[in-house]
Amino acid sequence: MNPAAHPGTTLFGLTAADVGTLLAALATLAVLVALYAASTVRDPMAKRVKALNERREHLKAGIAASTSRRRTKITHQNQSTDRIRNLLQSLKVLQVDQVKQAQVKLAQAGIRSKDYAVAIIFGRMVLPIVFGSAAALTIYALNMFPTWGPMMRFGGFAGALLLSYKAPDLYIENKIAKRTKVIRKGVPDALDLLVICAEAGLTVDAAFQRVARELGHAYPELGEEFHLTSIELSFLTERRSAFENLATRVRLDDLKGVTTTMIQTEKYGTPLASALRVLSAEFRHARMMRAEEKAARLPAIMTVPLILFILPTLFVVILGPAACSISKAF
């Protein structure tokens, strides 16, 4: 038999040599990407420090003034957001409460520009119109789903409207949840460093700045918030406002407890180090309790993968030879 007449086994039309060549090329590409990533490591705090310096310059210029008229004169606003704001105001759908709530959510998500609040409200109004029209055209006009009944068509149309209306809020809530999770991990370490700084005799704003510099690489989000708090402590007329702004920018009960403690120590003159030490111990205990809770839930979570993937494999490995022997015997 001539071996040349029968080619080797192929996979999707590729021989073993072709597959090996592709895998070698992918491995080479992965090595090059890894080398590029290792050689271009960027400081995670560089961009954040630049934004904080801009905030400091704004505070120097008088952004923190109490009157909104002075604030609007000084703040540089984007032309596109101005046009959106004018459009919403002409349609009489722009409410002050909605704008403030959207600005708070943007701050909690780590987005410093308040102009995007108008874009969120504009997205809530425009996205349902766009996606609702596309869904109506697809489902009813073009009849791309002929097997759907009337209820399924209405459900698809209503689902498109609801998801498009909630899409901006879902995106912001997702960013808030991820950012809050990252900040929660660094709060106990930040409190320990604050205790050390307080016992060393540093002022509160200097302590916040020192902690922000030390934790900037490990926890960039928390370092950014502490750095911004130190800037506001230096420039705002009321130090209480700086702590309240920190509690507003971060949706975290632990950090709200820290700010409440800071406000009480500023007001009543209680020892700061002892109060922060107690809070740090409580937060570490809470973090340990959350870890134990996740560990306790692990057996229940592993039940479904165990039944679907592990037990069938064990049955095949254990009972397979016996089944083969029985089939040969009969």
Side-chain angles (χ1 to χ4, degrees):
M1 183 180 293
N2 188 8
H6 299 279
T9 305
T10 61
L11 179 63
F12 299 108
L14 300 175
T15 62
D18 296 334
V19 173
T21 304
L22 289 176
L23 292 177
L26 290 176
T28 305
L29 180 62
V31 171
L32 293 177
V33 171
L35 291 176
Y36 175 77
S39 60
T40 58
V41 176
R42 297 180 179 179
D43 188 2
M45 284 296 294
K47 186 176 180 181
R48 302 176 187 272
V49 170
K50 182 180 179 181
L52 292 174
N53 290 331
E54 293 179 356
R55 171 63 176 168
R56 178 179 297 175
E57 295 299 328
H58 289 171
L59 288 173
K60 288 181 180 179
I63 298 297
S66 58
T67 58
S68 60
R69 182 179 301 177
R70 186 179 179 184
R71 190 178 291 117
T72 53
K73 286 182 180 179
I74 299 174
T75 308
H76 177 71
Q77 297 176 348
N78 196 357
Q79 294 181 357
S80 59
T81 55
D82 290 339
R83 294 174 182 174
I84 295 174
R85 183 182 290 105
N86 295 331
L87 176 61
L88 295 177
Q89 288 178 351
S90 63
L91 296 175
K92 296 182 180 180
V93 296
L94 188 63
Q95 299 179 1
V96 179
D97 296 337
Q98 291 182 349
V99 175
K100 290 182 178 180
Q101 186 179 5
Q103 289 175 354
V104 171
K105 288 186 177 181
L106 287 174
Q108 292 174 352
I111 302 174
R112 300 301 176 192
S113 178
K114 295 183 178 181
D115 293 335
Y116 289 107
V118 182
I120 292 176
I121 299 174
F122 183 73
R124 293 175 187 170
M125 184 183 67
V126 173
L127 290 180
I129 298 175
V130 175
F131 286 96
S133 301
L137 181 64
T138 303
I139 296 174
Y140 293 103
L142 299 179
N143 195 16
M144 296 186 65
F145 304 98
T147 58
W148 286 12
M151 291 300 296
M152 291 186 65
R153 293 186 178 187
F154 177 76
F157 176 71
L161 287 177
L162 183 61
L163 288 177
S164 59
Y165 177 76
K166 290 292 184 181
D169 293 332
L170 292 176
Y171 175 73
I172 296 298
E173 290 292 336
N174 186 24
K175 289 182 69 66
I176 291 174
K178 291 181 179 179
R179 190 168 182 267
T180 303
K181 184 179 179 180
V182 174
I183 291 176
R184 182 184 288 112
K185 295 180 181 179
V187 170
D189 298 334
L191 288 182
D192 291 339
L193 289 176
L194 281 177
V195 170
I196 295 173
C197 294
E199 291 178 346
L202 293 179
T203 59
V204 177
D205 50 349
F208 269 86
Q209 187 174 3
R210 179 72 179 187
V211 173
R213 186 166 64 250
E214 294 295 334
L215 292 180
H217 297 281
Y219 307 101
E221 292 82 4
L222 184 60
E224 179 185 5
E225 292 296 337
F226 273 42
H227 197 170
L228 183 56
T229 304
S230 67
I231 293 173
E232 291 182 346
L233 285 171
S234 302
F235 289 98
L236 292 180
T237 55
E238 295 184 2
R239 299 169 66 87
R240 180 190 182 96
S241 301
F243 296 124
E244 291 177 351
N245 292 338
L246 176 61
T248 303
R249 290 193 305 269
V250 181
R251 187 190 295 179
L252 187 61
D253 294 335
D254 298 345
L255 208 55
K256 289 181 180 179
V258 175
T259 56
T260 303
T261 303
M262 290 290 183
I263 293 173
Q264 290 178 354
T265 54
E266 290 281 339
K267 184 176 181 180
Y268 300 106
T270 55
L272 178 61
S274 58
L276 291 178
R277 190 179 293 108
V278 173
L279 283 177
S280 177
E282 291 180 357
F283 293 160
R284 289 186 182 280
H285 179 69
R287 186 168 64 178
M288 185 61 66
M289 292 294 292
R290 287 194 296 267
E292 292 177 356
E293 181 183 356
K294 291 182 180 180
R297 286 164 41 195
L298 188 60
I301 296 174
M302 288 296 295
T303 302
V304 176
L306 179 66
I307 295 174
L308 293 179
F309 303 106
I310 300 177
L311 289 182
T313 306
L314 289 177
F315 289 154
V316 170
V317 172
I318 295 173
L319 300 179
C324 294
S325 300
I326 293 172
S327 62
K328 287 180 180 180
F330 287 97

